[in-house]
Amino acid sequence: AFLYAAVAGFQAGFYNFRRGFADAEAWRGHERDVIALLGSPAARAWWARERERFSPGLVAHLDELLTATSNVSHPSADSEER
């Protein structure tokens, strides 16, 4: 229920931003928050199951962000492997 509520709130903000009702800098912060929220394996599994409950535009946007962030190397993770 928490993830659904968080992503549903993000969806409302997504369309407000697209309509010009939100500041770009503040919006980027919200994007970072939702990507961090969906970053765990359990949350990614939830997103794979539940993504169709959201608008196609939001799904495409979040999928793009999640793909971009999953390809980023995190220095702390790299140093732990050594």
Side-chain angles (χ1 to χ4, degrees), residues 45-79:
W46 176 87
W47 178 244
R49 281 190 322 271
E50 303 293 332
R51 59 198 291 275
E52 300 302 321
R53 297 175 71 185
F54 300 96
S55 70
L58 177 73
V59 169
H61 184 69
L62 285 178
D63 284 347
E64 182 179 321
L65 290 175
L66 288 166
T67 298
T69 58
S70 68
N71 294 327
V72 173
S73 175
H74 299 285
S76 61
D78 291 342
S79 62

Side-chain angles (χ1 to χ4, degrees), residues 7 17 25 30 32 37 44 51 58 64 81:
V7 176
F17 174 72
E25 185 177 340
H30 292 299
R32 286 188 298 273
L37 182 67
R44 295 273 178 129
R51 59 198 291 275
L58 177 73
E64 182 179 321
E81 293 177 9

